[in-house]
Amino acid sequence: DGGITQSPKYLFRKEGQNVTLSCEQNLNHDAMYWYRQDPGQGLRLIYYSQIVNDFQKGDIAEGYSVSREKKESFPLTVTSAQKNPTAFYLCASSAGYRTEAFFGQGTRLTVV
Amino acid sequence: GQQVMQIPQYQHVQEGEDFTTYCNSSTTLSNIQWYKQRPGGHPVFLIQLVKSGEVKKQKRLTFQFGEAKKNSSLHITATQTTDVGTYFCYGNYQLIWGAGTKLIIKP
């Protein structure tokens, strides 16, 4: 089945630790995105990538980092510099800028 | 910066009543997409509107794109329990999302 896989579904992190969220797609899409969603809120763009080895900051990139070494993979690292990391993180991909986005199931990150 | 305002934030309806959500952009949008997110789930693409004044229908859902390409609406006729969720508009070329409208069916 083609789609986007995010792992893990739930993640607990101690304060001060970095954590990496996985996002893999087998849709052969060029563009990939990371969003953060807080309870009752909309989607806020963290980073996006339109091509391998290139990515751009979104609206709330501070405290996050990404890499795009392979077309199918776009991992997100939540660093200790992110002051309020507890949230629902969604990864998405699209064939191009103007096409529909497909989302993964999301990762719920909780800082304990 | 560019913004897309989406209203209302919540809408409570009786099953069978209609539902409408509106998006207004501060700038002209190249196109607009609509997504639905069920509780606890992830956004799922519904439709894309590209042309000025475009109207598209999907069964009980009607989507409109304004003449100036700065506003859009989603109207659901005769809501059902399966319609529950949050509906988002998205200016995908500008990478800007509305805050969403949550559709709640009154018990």
Side-chain angles (χ1 to χ4, degrees), chain B residues 23-83:
Chain B
C23 282
N24 293 290
S25 172
S26 57
T27 59
T28 301
L29 299 171
S30 301
N31 50 30
I32 194 162
Q33 297 178 342
W34 285 91
Y35 291 78
K36 176 184 178 181
Q37 185 176 23
R38 293 182 185 272
H42 59 279
V44 174
F45 174 82
L46 295 175
I47 207 160
Q48 175 166 283
L49 305 173
V50 178
K51 299 178 182 176
S52 169
E54 190 169 16
V55 178
K56 286 189 176 181
K57 293 189 176 184
Q58 289 179 349
K59 297 183 181 178
R60 295 178 294 104
L61 279 61
T62 302
F63 303 84
Q64 296 188 357
F65 201 11
E67 293 290 341
K69 300 183 76 173
K70 296 179 75 172
N71 58 74
S72 182
S73 65
L74 159 58
H75 180 82
I76 303 177
T77 303
T79 55
Q80 300 174 359
T81 55
T82 53
D83 297 324

Side-chain angles (χ1 to χ4, degrees), chain B residues 11-17 79-81 84 103-107:
Chain B
Q11 190 166 1
H12 295 77
V13 300
Q14 298 277 7
E15 188 173 4
E17 292 182 337
T79 55
Q80 300 174 359
T81 55
V84 164
L103 169 58
I104 300 164
I105 304 284
K106 297 176 187 177

Side-chain angles (χ1 to χ4, degrees), chain A residues 9 33 35 37 40-45 48 59 88 90 96-106 108, chain B residues 9-10 30-31 33 35 37 40-45 48 50 88 90 92-100:
Chain A
K9 190 172 182 179
Y33 315 80
Y35 294 97
Q37 187 174 37
Q41 303 297 314
L43 282 71
R44 292 188 289 170
L45 182 64
Y48 66 102
D59 300 320
F88 186 44
L90 286 159
Y97 231 123
R98 299 192 180 199
T99 59
E100 68 181 277
F102 292 81
F103 284 81
Q105 299 292 322
R108 295 192 182 275
Chain B
Q9 187 176 4
Y10 302 93
S30 301
N31 50 30
Q33 297 178 342
Y35 291 78
Q37 185 176 23
H42 59 279
V44 174
F45 174 82
Q48 175 166 283
V50 178
F88 294 96
Y90 174 49
N92 57 310
Y93 192 76
Q94 289 82 4
L95 299 179
I96 48 175
W97 290 80

Side-chain angles (χ1 to χ4, degrees), chain A residues 4-20:
Chain A
I4 300 180
T5 301
Q6 286 187 244
S7 61
K9 190 172 182 179
Y10 299 95
L11 187 57
F12 296 88
R13 188 197 92 173
K14 292 184 178 179
E15 277 193 50
Q17 288 182 339
N18 291 355
V19 63
T20 298

